Amino acid sequence: MNILVTATTFPRWDGDSEPGFVFYLSRLLAKKHKVICLVPWHPGAKEYEEMDGVKVVRFKYFFGLERLCYDGGILANLKKSWLAKLQPPFLVKAQEKAIWKIVKGEKIDLIHAHWIVPQGFIASRIKRMFGIPFVVTAHAGDIFPLKNPFFRRLGRKALQDCAVCTVNSEATGKAVSDLYSVKNMSTIPMGVDLEQFSPKLKDNKVKKEFDVTGEFLLFVGRIAEKKGLTYLLDAMPAVVKKFPKVKLVVIGDGPLKTRLEAQASAMKLDGHVIFAGKRKNEDLGKYFASADVFVGPSIVTDSGDTEGLGVVFLEAIASGTAVIGGNVGGVPDIIKDGKTGLLVEEKNSKELSKKIVELLGDKKKREKMVKAGQKHIKDNYDWEKVTKKFEDLFKKIL
């Protein structure tokens, strides 16, 4: 098959910290098929390159001053940059023009559009012009803008014209169904690379890097509201009281970093909480594998934004680390409470501290959960199996 993949999140260069799930899926598809990924350009990125068999085309959309995509995503950038607010119409037109050019030059059999808006909407216009079928994949972050009447109309066109809408979790599927009547929907999650995230990557140098001499808690993710990190900080004093040598390492960056650093300092947690900044995606495995417990206290924000799936939980469990997560969005698809990890009520720091203390104090329980979790992931989230599901879906459509 000749597959054109469209997305707005994609690694910009080697070692980029941008989420790489679109690339990982495309890379595996490219082992058997021709795959072209069309993604927005960003300063410092190449306009054309080949990455592990995937032809990558990056299109410019705002005269070299692109600010709308990457570094937190479109919604976050719209909130923080006046220049980004000007750019959505330019992004849509430039992407449509770039797809048109590729379709004219290549014999594209199918388009895989990641996110309903804008990629799904643009793919629907291309289908009407060229008759090329497309699959649209919803990742949850694209559902919340659809509550706006204008974006909802765009989303309706995408879902009316797509061959199939895939969703990354049951929660995302429900969110889509609450907005639209979708004729063909399939739940296919994003996956995890069981080589890149493995207990074998445990590295004692990680503890030395952060001077961890006791219990090791880990948070990895964008430091934004829906990740709920503020509630984890609120839970830490009770954890420190029980485990005086405990350390929480926070890997990531985001709009709330400065505020939460101040919160940790005001709570006198300086010796127990380390804001480590970003790390390369390919290096994350050793951090997950070296921690005792991964904590992701995700919440639902006032705007309704939350975790569509929670790939970091997949990565932590695959790395042999016990997990605690907020009982929101797609997280319960991964964490079966008491079996593959522990779920906590969102925004409940008291319950969160109890669950952390419980897991830190019971190594056998952690090991039992990790064993069950790894089987759950291997059966349902291994990238090889996820790719096969998409490949079978594409073949069926064609």
Side-chain angles (χ1 to χ4, degrees):
M1 291 178 284
N2 287 353
I3 304 165
L4 173 60
V5 177
T6 60
T8 48
T9 295
F10 198 85
R12 295 164 290 184
W13 43 72
D14 287 342
D16 193 7
S17 59
E18 281 292 308
F21 50 86
V22 175
F23 171 58
Y24 301 146
L25 174 59
S26 301
R27 179 176 62 184
L28 289 173
L29 286 170
K31 289 183 177 181
K32 296 181 181 178
H33 311 282
K34 183 176 180 179
V35 178
I36 301 173
C37 284
L38 177 69
V39 295
W41 178 81
H42 185 85
K46 295 177 181 177
E47 291 187 53
Y48 304 94
E49 66 176 317
E50 186 169 306
M51 299 171 66
D52 285 359
V54 178
K55 183 179 179 181
V56 182
V57 180
R58 297 185 179 91
F59 64 94
K60 291 186 176 182
Y61 58 93
F62 202 74
F63 320 111
L65 298 172
E66 286 75 2
R67 297 290 186 275
L68 189 57
C69 304
Y70 307 110
D71 295 325
I74 291 176
L75 290 180
N77 290 324
L78 286 172
K79 291 178 182 178
K80 70 183 182 184
S81 169
W82 65 267
L83 191 57
K85 289 182 173 66
L86 302 175
Q87 297 182 11
F90 293 88
L91 175 75
V92 171
K93 293 304 294 182
Q95 188 177 88
E96 185 175 321
K97 183 178 179 181
I99 294 175
W100 182 296
K101 184 177 179 180
I102 290 172
V103 167
K104 285 285 190 180
E106 308 275 354
K107 191 182 184 314
I108 299 298
D109 297 311
L110 180 139
I111 296 173
H112 186 190
H114 288 267
W115 291 279
I116 297 173
V117 174
Q119 280 73 241
F121 167 70
I122 298 170
S124 72
R125 288 175 56 83
I126 296 297
K127 181 192 175 185
R128 294 182 184 192
M129 287 186 277
F130 296 97
I132 299 173
F134 72 97
V135 170
V136 61
T137 291
H139 295 281
D142 49 343
I143 307 302
F144 309 110
L146 299 182
K147 294 175 182 177
N148 174 292
F150 174 72
F151 288 118
R152 185 179 293 190
R153 286 196 296 273
L154 302 187
R156 183 173 292 110
K157 289 183 180 296
L159 293 173
Q160 283 174 345
D161 291 344
C162 70
V164 177
C165 171
T166 73
V167 293
N168 60 358
S169 68
E170 291 182 10
T172 303
K174 184 179 183 305
V176 173
S177 297
D178 286 346
L179 287 171
Y180 302 102
S181 175
V182 183
K183 55 184 179 181
N184 292 314
M185 184 184 291
S186 179
T187 301
I188 307 179
M190 294 295 100
V192 61
D193 186 329
L194 299 182
E195 293 295 323
Q196 185 179 352
F197 297 95
S198 165
K200 295 183 292 186
L201 296 174
K202 185 174 181 178
D203 187 347
N204 290 328
K205 292 179 182 178
V206 170
K207 287 190 174 183
K208 291 181 180 179
E209 179 183 351
F210 301 116
D211 193 25
V212 177
T213 57
E215 296 75 17
F216 183 4
L217 298 176
L218 180 68
F219 170 97
V220 178
R222 183 161 168 76
I223 305 179
E225 185 184 3
K226 74 176 181 180
K227 299 296 183 179
L229 182 56
T230 183
Y231 302 99
L232 176 52
L233 296 180
D234 285 340
M236 282 301 294
V239 178
V240 171
K241 188 175 181 180
K242 189 72 176 178
F243 299 97
K245 292 185 178 181
V246 69
K247 281 196 178 180
L248 166 65
V249 175
V250 176
I251 293 179
D253 202 350
L256 298 183
K257 184 180 178 183
T258 301
R259 184 194 305 177
L260 295 185
E261 284 177 328
Q263 177 184 342
S265 182
M267 296 175 71
K268 296 182 170 35
L269 292 171
D270 293 330
H272 298 283
V273 178
I274 298 170
F275 286 84
K278 292 182 179 180
R279 292 294 188 274
K280 295 179 180 179
N281 286 329
E282 56 263 38
D283 291 338
L284 289 177
K286 67 180 181 181
Y287 294 101
F288 281 113
S290 303
D292 295 314
V293 177
F294 173 82
V295 189
S298 305
I299 68 168
V300 180
T301 68
D302 290 341
S303 67
D305 193 9
T306 193
E307 296 283 5
L309 179 62
V311 172
V312 286
F313 297 104
L314 298 177
E315 296 170 345
I317 295 172
S319 301
T321 301
V323 298
I324 299 173
N327 190 10
V328 298
V331 178
D333 282 19
I334 301 169
I335 301 179
K336 306 301 179 183
D337 192 32
K339 295 180 179 179
T340 64
L342 296 179
L343 291 173
V344 294
E345 180 186 356
E346 64 163 329
K347 304 179 183 179
N348 190 330
S349 297
K350 188 175 181 181
E351 182 189 4
L352 183 57
S353 63
K354 285 182 179 179
K355 293 290 177 74
I356 293 172
V357 168
E358 177 186 341
L359 273 193
L360 286 179
D362 194 338
K363 186 176 180 180
K364 286 186 177 180
K365 187 169 188 174
R366 296 202 306 267
E367 290 174 347
K368 185 177 179 181
M369 286 181 175
V370 166
K371 187 176 180 180
Q374 287 181 318
K375 183 181 185 306
H376 179 55
I377 287 172
K378 188 175 181 180
D379 290 345
N380 298 283
Y381 297 96
D382 179 358
W383 261 128
E384 295 284 350
K385 292 182 179 180
V386 169
T387 303
K388 181 68 164 55
K389 288 180 180 180
F390 274 107
E391 184 180 33
D392 290 345
L393 177 64
F394 295 166
K395 287 180 178 178
K396 184 178 179 181
I397 291 167
L398 293 175

